[in-house]
PDB file of all heavy atoms in Angstrom:
ATOM      1  N   ARG A  52      15.366 -16.833  13.788  1.00  0.00           N
ATOM      2  CA  ARG A  52      14.846 -17.652  12.684  1.00  0.00           C
ATOM      3  C   ARG A  52      13.547 -17.065  12.149  1.00  0.00           C
ATOM      4  O   ARG A  52      13.351 -16.951  10.939  1.00  0.00           O
ATOM      5  CB  ARG A  52      14.611 -19.091  13.168  1.00  0.00           C
ATOM      6  CG  ARG A  52      15.813 -19.983  13.105  1.00  0.00           C
ATOM      7  CD  ARG A  52      15.426 -21.450  13.278  1.00  0.00           C
ATOM      8  NE  ARG A  52      14.614 -21.710  14.467  1.00  0.00           N
ATOM      9  CZ  ARG A  52      15.095 -21.999  15.674  1.00  0.00           C
ATOM     10  NH1 ARG A  52      16.393 -22.063  15.865  1.00  0.00           N
ATOM     11  NH2 ARG A  52      14.271 -22.220  16.689  1.00  0.00           N
ATOM     12  N   GLU A  53      12.660 -16.697  13.054  1.00  0.00           N
ATOM     13  CA  GLU A  53      11.390 -16.109  12.630  1.00  0.00           C
ATOM     14  C   GLU A  53      11.612 -14.806  11.880  1.00  0.00           C
ATOM     15  O   GLU A  53      10.942 -14.537  10.871  1.00  0.00           O
ATOM     16  CB  GLU A  53      10.484 -15.879  13.841  1.00  0.00           C
ATOM     17  CG  GLU A  53       9.940 -17.146  14.451  1.00  0.00           C
ATOM     18  CD  GLU A  53       9.107 -16.890  15.708  1.00  0.00           C
ATOM     19  OE1 GLU A  53       8.877 -15.709  16.048  1.00  0.00           O
ATOM     20  OE2 GLU A  53       8.704 -17.872  16.341  1.00  0.00           O
ATOM     21  N   LEU A  54      12.565 -14.012  12.361  1.00  0.00           N
ATOM     22  CA  LEU A  54      12.887 -12.756  11.673  1.00  0.00           C
ATOM     23  C   LEU A  54      13.427 -13.041  10.274  1.00  0.00           C
ATOM     24  O   LEU A  54      13.033 -12.396   9.299  1.00  0.00           O
ATOM     25  CB  LEU A  54      13.898 -11.945  12.488  1.00  0.00           C
ATOM     26  CG  LEU A  54      14.370 -10.635  11.861  1.00  0.00           C
ATOM     27  CD1 LEU A  54      13.189  -9.673  11.714  1.00  0.00           C
ATOM     28  CD2 LEU A  54      15.489 -10.010  12.688  1.00  0.00           C
ATOM     29  N   LYS A  55      14.338 -14.047  10.205  1.00  0.00           N
ATOM     30  CA  LYS A  55      14.909 -14.412   8.911  1.00  0.00           C
ATOM     31  C   LYS A  55      13.817 -14.915   7.968  1.00  0.00           C
ATOM     32  O   LYS A  55      13.762 -14.527   6.800  1.00  0.00           O
ATOM     33  CB  LYS A  55      15.980 -15.491   9.102  1.00  0.00           C
ATOM     34  CG  LYS A  55      16.705 -15.863   7.844  1.00  0.00           C
ATOM     35  CD  LYS A  55      17.772 -16.906   8.135  1.00  0.00           C
ATOM     36  CE  LYS A  55      18.468 -17.337   6.857  1.00  0.00           C
ATOM     37  NZ  LYS A  55      19.455 -18.376   7.102  1.00  0.00           N
ATOM     38  N   GLU A  56      12.916 -15.776   8.475  1.00  0.00           N
ATOM     39  CA  GLU A  56      11.809 -16.283   7.668  1.00  0.00           C
ATOM     40  C   GLU A  56      10.880 -15.147   7.246  1.00  0.00           C
ATOM     41  O   GLU A  56      10.411 -15.112   6.104  1.00  0.00           O
ATOM     42  CB  GLU A  56      11.026 -17.344   8.453  1.00  0.00           C
ATOM     43  CG  GLU A  56      11.786 -18.640   8.639  1.00  0.00           C
ATOM     44  CD  GLU A  56      11.053 -19.619   9.562  1.00  0.00           C
ATOM     45  OE1 GLU A  56       9.909 -19.300   9.990  1.00  0.00           O
ATOM     46  OE2 GLU A  56      11.615 -20.685   9.845  1.00  0.00           O
ATOM     47  N   ALA A  57      10.637 -14.217   8.167  1.00  0.00           N
ATOM     48  CA  ALA A  57       9.784 -13.078   7.849  1.00  0.00           C
ATOM     49  C   ALA A  57      10.423 -12.226   6.756  1.00  0.00           C
ATOM     50  O   ALA A  57       9.731 -11.765   5.829  1.00  0.00           O
ATOM     51  CB  ALA A  57       9.512 -12.238   9.093  1.00  0.00           C
ATOM     52  N   LYS A  58      11.752 -12.042   6.857  1.00  0.00           N
ATOM     53  CA  LYS A  58      12.444 -11.259   5.815  1.00  0.00           C
ATOM     54  C   LYS A  58      12.368 -11.977   4.477  1.00  0.00           C
ATOM     55  O   LYS A  58      12.142 -11.347   3.439  1.00  0.00           O
ATOM     56  CB  LYS A  58      13.903 -11.023   6.218  1.00  0.00           C
ATOM     57  CG  LYS A  58      14.069  -9.967   7.272  1.00  0.00           C
ATOM     58  CD  LYS A  58      15.535  -9.740   7.584  1.00  0.00           C
ATOM     59  CE  LYS A  58      15.725  -8.654   8.639  1.00  0.00           C
ATOM     60  NZ  LYS A  58      17.135  -8.425   8.974  1.00  0.00           N
ATOM     61  N   GLU A  59      12.573 -13.316   4.499  1.00  0.00           N
ATOM     62  CA  GLU A  59      12.492 -14.084   3.254  1.00  0.00           C
ATOM     63  C   GLU A  59      11.081 -14.012   2.673  1.00  0.00           C
ATOM     64  O   GLU A  59      10.906 -13.840   1.469  1.00  0.00           O
ATOM     65  CB  GLU A  59      12.895 -15.540   3.507  1.00  0.00           C
ATOM     66  CG  GLU A  59      14.366 -15.724   3.783  1.00  0.00           C
ATOM     67  CD  GLU A  59      14.705 -17.151   4.210  1.00  0.00           C
ATOM     68  OE1 GLU A  59      13.775 -17.986   4.342  1.00  0.00           O
ATOM     69  OE2 GLU A  59      15.904 -17.419   4.402  1.00  0.00           O
ATOM     70  N   THR A  60      10.088 -14.143   3.544  1.00  0.00           N
ATOM     71  CA  THR A  60       8.696 -14.043   3.092  1.00  0.00           C
ATOM     72  C   THR A  60       8.428 -12.663   2.511  1.00  0.00           C
ATOM     73  O   THR A  60       7.764 -12.524   1.472  1.00  0.00           O
ATOM     74  CB  THR A  60       7.735 -14.337   4.263  1.00  0.00           C
ATOM     75  OG1 THR A  60       8.036 -15.619   4.799  1.00  0.00           O
ATOM     76  CG2 THR A  60       6.292 -14.307   3.805  1.00  0.00           C
ATOM     77  N   LEU A  61       8.949 -11.645   3.166  1.00  0.00           N
ATOM     78  CA  LEU A  61       8.786 -10.273   2.668  1.00  0.00           C
ATOM     79  C   LEU A  61       9.445 -10.125   1.304  1.00  0.00           C
ATOM     80  O   LEU A  61       8.861  -9.524   0.395  1.00  0.00           O
ATOM     81  CB  LEU A  61       9.377  -9.275   3.675  1.00  0.00           C
ATOM     82  CG  LEU A  61       9.342  -7.810   3.254  1.00  0.00           C
ATOM     83  CD1 LEU A  61       7.896  -7.338   3.131  1.00  0.00           C
ATOM     84  CD2 LEU A  61      10.102  -6.945   4.245  1.00  0.00           C
ATOM     85  N   GLU A  62      10.643 -10.679   1.151  1.00  0.00           N
ATOM     86  CA  GLU A  62      11.337 -10.585  -0.143  1.00  0.00           C
ATOM     87  C   GLU A  62      10.547 -11.327  -1.234  1.00  0.00           C
ATOM     88  O   GLU A  62      10.420 -10.832  -2.341  1.00  0.00           O
ATOM     89  CB  GLU A  62      12.763 -11.149  -0.029  1.00  0.00           C
ATOM     90  CG  GLU A  62      13.706 -10.280   0.773  1.00  0.00           C
ATOM     91  CD  GLU A  62      13.839  -8.877   0.205  1.00  0.00           C
ATOM     92  OE1 GLU A  62      13.955  -8.724  -1.035  1.00  0.00           O
ATOM     93  OE2 GLU A  62      13.826  -7.921   1.005  1.00  0.00           O
ATOM     94  N   ARG A  63      10.033 -12.511  -0.881  1.00  0.00           N
ATOM     95  CA  ARG A  63       9.223 -13.254  -1.856  1.00  0.00           C
ATOM     96  C   ARG A  63       7.972 -12.458  -2.219  1.00  0.00           C
ATOM     97  O   ARG A  63       7.580 -12.377  -3.375  1.00  0.00           O
ATOM     98  CB  ARG A  63       8.841 -14.626  -1.306  1.00  0.00           C
ATOM     99  CG  ARG A  63       9.935 -15.654  -1.411  1.00  0.00           C
ATOM    100  CD  ARG A  63       9.399 -17.079  -1.186  1.00  0.00           C
ATOM    101  NE  ARG A  63       8.679 -17.234   0.068  1.00  0.00           N
ATOM    102  CZ  ARG A  63       9.218 -17.577   1.221  1.00  0.00           C
ATOM    103  NH1 ARG A  63      10.512 -17.789   1.316  1.00  0.00           N
ATOM    104  NH2 ARG A  63       8.464 -17.711   2.308  1.00  0.00           N
ATOM    105  N   ALA A  64       7.353 -11.870  -1.195  1.00  0.00           N
ATOM    106  CA  ALA A  64       6.145 -11.075  -1.443  1.00  0.00           C
ATOM    107  C   ALA A  64       6.463  -9.869  -2.319  1.00  0.00           C
ATOM    108  O   ALA A  64       5.692  -9.529  -3.229  1.00  0.00           O
ATOM    109  CB  ALA A  64       5.524 -10.629  -0.124  1.00  0.00           C
TER     110      ALA A  64
END
Side-chain angles (χ1 to χ4, degrees):
R52 274 194 308 271
E53 289 177 5
L54 178 63
K55 184 178 177 182
E56 290 173 4
K58 284 182 179 179
E59 289 172 357
T60 304
L61 177 64
E62 289 302 317
R63 280 195 305 270

